[in-house]
Amino acid sequence: MRIKTKFFALLLASLLVLGTMPVAALAEGELDYSDLVDAIAAAGEAKDGVVVDDDAANVPEGTYWVTEEIMSALDDAIALAQAMVDDDTATAQGDIDDAIADLADAVDIFN
């Protein structure tokens, strides 16, 4: 397992645990996007140093690479999550939690 995968798994686990605890600083009914923002940053970091190519023969041995399709899937997941944050489109905390889980799934496929 790559270090980035371990980092993201630990981040996700801590977000899920912390996400179940009440956040005193939020007003009643206010949604907390902070865990999603952290997950977006971690997903972006998972892309660092990854080579995109359609053929392993084009990539130096030992280099982590993905196809354009896999990179696009992660980029799309990050963009969807970022749009939720930017546009404040969540109607319930569960929407944010679902976006975190969807992003984690995309990172798992990526890695």
Side-chain angles (χ1 to χ4, degrees), residues 2 4 46-52 63-66 71 110-111:
R2 294 182 36 223
K4 290 178 185 176
K47 296 174 24 173
D48 289 348
V50 176
V51 173
V52 177
T63 301
Y64 187 73
W65 67 280
V66 297
M71 181 64 83
F110 181 80
N111 288 319

Side-chain angles (χ1 to χ4, degrees), residues 26-32 90-93:
L26 295 177
E28 186 174 332
E30 187 175 343
L31 301 176
D32 181 8
T91 58
Q93 195 64 42

